[in-house]
Amino acid sequence: MTTQTHLGFIGVGNLGSRIVRRLVTAGFPVTVYNRDREKTKELAALGADVAPDPQELAGRVDVVLSCLADRAA
């Protein structure tokens, strides 16, 4: 039996959301977090799980990826 790596993605703006869409479409289990929760809604509709905060996301996944605008983000 093989298990698939569960991915976490922080930052789903213009670039991050496109990456997550491709990952979900490819069949990867993905959990997302974004400061603006509105940006996670479309991805949730595609099948991504949404975490309430980065710490929760990190606890649910095998690998964390991020795509942030700047250091402040």
Side-chain angles (χ1 to χ4, degrees):
M1 177 179 173
T2 61
T3 59
Q4 196 159 27
T5 302
H6 190 138
L7 304 173
F9 207 97
I10 299 173
V12 292
N14 285 331
L15 180 59
S17 63
R18 291 178 180 150
I19 295 168
V20 170
R21 256 188 244 113
R22 287 181 177 250
L23 292 169
V24 170
T25 301
F28 285 93
V30 181
T31 298
V32 297
Y33 169 78
N34 200 76
R35 292 180 296 171
D36 178 357
R37 299 275 295 193
E38 189 68 28
K39 293 184 178 184
T40 65
K41 289 182 178 180
E42 179 186 339
L43 300 171
L46 293 174
D49 189 24
V50 178
D53 57 60
Q55 183 176 356
E56 178 72 23
L57 178 140
R60 295 184 191 178
V61 302
D62 301 308
V63 176
V64 177
L65 305 160
S66 66
C67 187
L68 304 172
D70 54 34
R71 287 182 185 260

